[in-house]
Amino acid sequence: MLIDKNGKVFGKINIIDLLVLIVLVAAIIVVGARFLLPKQKNTQTIEMQFYLEEVDEWVADKISEGNSLYDGTYEVDLGTVTKVEREQSIAWGLNQNGEYVQSSRDGFCSLTITGEVEGQKTAIGAKVNGEIYGVGHSMVLYAGDAKLYLRVHDIRVKE
């Protein structure tokens, strides 16, 4: 018989102990497989553009192609800067009639940063290292030596 009158399997181990041992071995196999097996990557190369209406020119000088991009909000490595574009800064203020008007300030510029990011393009934006980004997403972005407070301007799969 497999289980004797004392409830022991093969006369040596209690049935409850055997069940606990089986569950423990199964848990070790599942955890080991999760961490040791190579992960399949379902990623695409995505171009993300980030936009900032106004930044000091000396901060913009710290950003160049090849710099790393890091999301300081979610602490996520994003990718690499592929293009930096500067234009006239965009500032809004009240005129003498109490109307909001657009202007530009000396020593400042607007900035568009394009970067290559490994992630998945989704119906609602992009998923990068577990975080979801969408156009208009406000964030803290580190690029080169600069820390910027900006928004995601565009997301597209690189062709």
Side-chain angles (χ1 to χ4, degrees):
M1 265 188 140
L2 194 59
I3 301 175
D4 68 11
K5 61 183 177 177
N6 294 327
K8 294 190 176 203
V9 178
F10 301 116
K12 297 193 185 235
I13 187 167
N14 186 321
I15 189 74
I16 294 173
D17 293 339
L18 178 64
L19 291 174
V20 169
L21 184 63
I22 290 171
V23 168
L24 184 61
V25 169
I28 290 171
I29 290 171
V30 168
V31 170
R34 182 178 178 116
F35 289 107
L36 296 177
L37 291 177
K39 295 178 182 168
Q40 292 182 351
K41 290 190 175 185
N42 246 355
T43 61
Q44 305 164 294
T45 301
I46 297 171
E47 281 188 341
M48 288 180 73
Q49 277 189 339
F50 306 93
Y51 180 71
L52 181 58
E53 292 91 356
E54 188 174 60
V55 64
D56 290 289
E57 287 184 353
W58 58 270
V59 174
D61 290 340
K62 300 291 183 179
I63 306 164
S64 59
E65 291 181 19
N67 288 150
S68 294
L69 292 171
Y70 181 79
D71 177 354
T73 305
Y74 294 119
E75 299 180 350
V76 173
D77 286 316
L78 290 175
T80 306
V81 175
T82 57
K83 188 175 185 183
V84 180
E85 300 170 89
R86 292 184 191 203
E87 293 186 17
Q88 208 171 28
S89 71
I90 299 172
W92 291 90
L94 293 172
N95 66 12
Q96 294 142 342
N97 299 326
E99 301 166 327
Y100 279 99
V101 293
Q102 182 179 332
S103 64
S104 181
R105 298 192 306 170
D106 289 336
F108 291 83
C109 64
S110 67
L111 199 57
T112 302
I113 300 170
T114 304
E116 282 190 9
V117 176
E118 289 299 317
Q120 295 172 315
K121 179 73 173 88
T122 67
I124 57 171
K127 188 171 187 178
V128 181
N129 292 327
E131 295 298 333
I132 297 175
Y133 298 88
V135 172
H137 180 102
S138 296
M139 61 190 291
V140 174
L141 182 74
Y142 290 88
D145 292 332
K147 179 179 182 180
L148 307 161
Y149 300 87
L150 44 63
R151 289 185 307 244
V152 175
H153 182 68
D154 192 21
I155 301 171
R156 62 183 170 268
V157 177
K158 185 176 180 185
E159 296 180 16

